[in-house]
Amino acid sequence: MPLSPESKEVIAATLPAVGAAIGDITTLFYRKMFGAHPELERDLFNRGNQKQGEQQKALAGSIAAFATLQLDPDPARVETILSRVAHKHASLGVKADEYWIVHKHLFEAIVEILGEAVTPEVSKAWDELYWLMANTLISMESDLYKAAGVEPGDVWRTVRVAERTHQSADTVSFVLTSLDGSPLPTFRPGQYLSVGVKLPDGARQIRQYSLSSAPTKGDWRITVKRVRETTGPDGTVIPAGEVSNFLYANLFEGDELQVTTPFGDLVLTDGEAPILLASAGIGCTPMIGILDHLAGAGDDRPVSVVHADRSVADHAHRRELETLVEKLPQAQVFRWYEDLGAREPLETVRVGRADISDLPLDPNTQAYLCGPLPFMLSLREALIERNVPAENIHYEVFGPDSWAPAAS
Ligand code: HEM
């Protein structure tokens, strides 16, 4: 259902002012919502993202993009933006009635920031826009819960760690099985699950991890890289990952873990088209899962794998990647390392950042990207230059997606 013509006019007239203030609005919104519902900050939202302002940016970006797309409709783009959010919400067990909580605090924040500019007419138009977006998300989430065979929001289960394996110095993978030995449900290659852990201060924090094995094995495998504290290029300190360090230090064979049913919209599509899997760093995890699936299914599509990492020692699942590629009749892998140590570069193992300009590439390729934003943006640009259509380029962002609006 599109916006009513009256609301459309009001949104068009007020979008510049709301757009300019949306960052302040979403920051105040979270402050208000967490003030009234501290349990949401403690047990549902990622407090690391909140501190860094990432979630505020993602929410603001999605609302501004959705409003813009009501004025200049592009249903496919709306679907792309909302599908990602709906999968993330489903993976967190978000329920329809919680949209009222968000509505209350969001609109209080809008009124507080924009003051008298929020006339009843303006308020009505933005209210309509909010519910258009919320109801679309609620309906997508309801479909996802149905397809997964669970009641709305009932996505959590306890699993046991069957294996813990170091995949690089900072990275461990965990094979997860059911408590009673029954097979865990299948998923689609490329999907992720949420992990919830009780931290020492009593908070239950949740993070998403891609499934790094084929979907039909009856067990699930995730790979966790412990995020160390780093200093960004502009001098800001990026704190150590609370959950990844907790799992790295505390989760061992035999331990139980709370996880959710798999969701995620970056999934391998069926078909005959050649595939490009391009990852950097820990972005390799969904790609390893996809390759494991292709190898297990005897898939004979041409596959090119591109992986970039800091060094050979940092490259998680390095040996497994080679083994999987060897199993596929038409697969090849190209790797880039910023530091190759004392090793000589080869045609397929190069020094520096990933550069696909001289790789064989069919313009019909379906490309899947996962890694830091600058990596994905540069790959996307290079693919478009090589005549791969934008709709063939699929991506997964680890963390809240502030790229959706930027890539439009
Ligand atoms: C994540 C939008 C309602 C809880 C997100 C993201 C967006 C978003 C854009 C980031 C997705 C990503 O790229 O990873 C919205 C919009 C809403 C809405 C537009 C209303 C129309 C809700 C509700 C809840 C909720 C009702 C439950 C109280 C969350 C949580 C996350 C999230 C917990 C993950 C945050 C994190 O991990 O940092 N939402 N959301 N959202 N949303 Fe919503």
Side-chain angles (χ1 to χ4, degrees), residues 15-196:
L15 182 57
V18 175
I22 194 89
D24 292 340
I25 292 170
T26 49
T27 302
L28 181 61
F29 151 69
Y30 279 114
R31 219 170 44 237
K32 282 178 168 295
M33 185 169 76
F34 294 150
H37 295 275
E39 75 286 357
L40 291 180
E41 183 173 28
R42 195 183 57 227
D43 296 338
L44 181 65
F45 280 80
N46 174 334
R47 56 186 183 184
N49 287 342
Q50 288 291 329
K51 268 193 214 124
Q52 290 173 60
E54 290 304 312
Q55 177 57 25
Q56 291 86 324
K57 265 193 249 161
L59 177 66
S62 74
I63 295 173
F66 187 77
T68 310
L69 287 165
Q70 294 308 308
L71 306 179
D72 186 7
D74 179 348
R77 184 104 198 94
V78 171
E79 164 78 24
T80 306
I81 294 174
L82 294 191
S83 165
R84 180 183 157 94
V85 179
H87 277 271
K88 180 63 96 54
H89 282 170
S91 167
L92 291 153
V94 169
K95 292 206 280 282
D97 56 0
E98 290 171 321
Y99 281 84
W100 286 100
I101 303 177
V102 168
H103 176 268
K104 174 177 159 49
H105 298 289
L106 187 58
F107 277 74
E108 279 180 18
I110 291 176
V111 170
E112 208 168 310
I113 298 282
L114 296 179
E116 283 171 8
V118 190
T119 61
E121 196 191 20
V122 170
S123 173
K124 184 165 167 280
W126 282 92
D127 197 69
E128 194 182 325
L129 183 98
Y130 173 85
W131 284 113
L132 190 58
M133 198 173 183
N135 285 328
T136 314
L137 284 170
I138 290 169
S139 143
M140 285 173 147
E141 287 152 26
S142 156
D143 289 349
L144 289 171
Y145 291 135
K146 250 187 237 143
V150 297
E151 288 300 311
D154 189 14
V155 291
W156 290 97
R157 72 175 70 220
T158 306
V159 290
R160 195 182 310 285
V161 176
E163 279 174 37
R164 172 189 160 115
T165 312
H166 269 269
Q167 299 293 351
S168 78
D170 273 349
T171 312
V172 281
S173 63
F174 300 99
V175 174
L176 309 171
T177 55
S178 67
L179 297 186
D180 62 4
S182 60
L184 290 169
T186 60
F187 54 92
R188 295 184 66 192
Q191 291 195 306
Y192 56 77
L193 49 72
S194 290
V195 168

Side-chain angles (χ1 to χ4, degrees), residues 211-283:
L211 287 140
S212 59
S213 58
T216 47
K217 295 186 162 168
D219 54 28
W220 295 339
R221 185 179 69 170
I222 55 168
T223 305
V224 178
K225 176 174 183 174
R226 65 164 157 166
V227 180
R228 293 173 184 270
E229 184 181 293
T230 46
T231 307
D234 58 355
T236 48
V237 174
I238 301 157
E242 278 193 293
V243 174
S244 62
N245 279 287
F246 183 87
L247 295 173
Y248 188 92
N250 295 294
L251 191 68
F252 293 91
E253 295 84 352
D255 289 344
E256 292 185 359
L257 183 68
Q258 295 293 315
V259 300
T260 65
T261 303
F263 291 99
D265 65 341
L266 176 98
V267 291
L268 181 71
T269 49
D270 296 332
E272 312 268 291
I275 301 167
L276 171 74
L277 304 175
S279 57
I282 195 60

